[in-house]
Amino acid sequence: MDIGKAFIDAWEVYKKNYIVLILSYLTFLILSVLTLGVLAIPLSVGFKMMYAKASRGQDIVFNDIFLQMKNFMPHGFNASNYIPSCYVLYFRSHNLCVPPGKQITNG
């Protein structure tokens, strides 16, 4: 295996598709931050699959980054599944940091 050839091949794929790859990566970053990481995994898998598709010489489009969403949320997004867990993690996490023997008081 020639490591130099791998870098050259990767650079050629990037040069051919740089606009779509950059826009897709920026979309991945922004949506991952805005959704507090909920969409980070399916978007990163979609981005990697899109790059693999480009490296095989197939044409890629911007929407390819979203193709894995159907596997992540096959029945659609239901916010009621995420809001209670976010409430517990964000607003109630301070109770996890109480030293043993301390009493929790409101006020």
Side-chain angles (χ1 to χ4, degrees):
M1 176 179 200
D2 184 17
I3 193 75
K5 184 178 179 331
F7 279 108
I8 291 171
D9 291 344
W11 182 249
E12 290 302 319
V13 170
Y14 178 76
K15 282 193 324 188
K16 182 181 174 190
N17 302 295
Y18 70 94
I19 293 173
V20 175
L21 291 172
I22 289 173
L23 290 176
S24 299
Y25 189 71
L26 290 174
T27 302
F28 157 69
L29 289 176
I30 292 168
L31 289 178
S32 295
V33 170
L34 289 178
T35 61
L36 302 175
V38 171
L39 298 180
I41 292 173
L43 288 175
S44 67
V45 171
F47 181 77
K48 291 172 187 173
M49 302 264 302
M50 182 173 55
Y51 195 87
K53 186 177 171 182
S55 68
R56 289 190 295 261
Q58 299 172 353
D59 290 333
I60 59 172
V61 293
F62 177 75
N63 290 339
D64 287 345
I65 194 170
F66 299 108
L67 290 179
Q68 294 301 314
M69 297 297 282
K70 67 182 183 308
N71 297 330
F72 180 66
M73 294 182 281
H75 303 294
F77 181 76
N78 186 355
S80 64
N81 294 338
Y82 298 103
I83 292 173
S85 60
C86 291
Y87 172 77
V88 170
L89 290 175
Y90 184 75
F91 292 108
R92 294 297 180 179
S93 61
H94 68 278
N95 291 342
L96 301 174
C97 300
V98 176
K102 288 293 243 180
Q103 186 174 11
I104 300 174
T105 58
N106 293 335

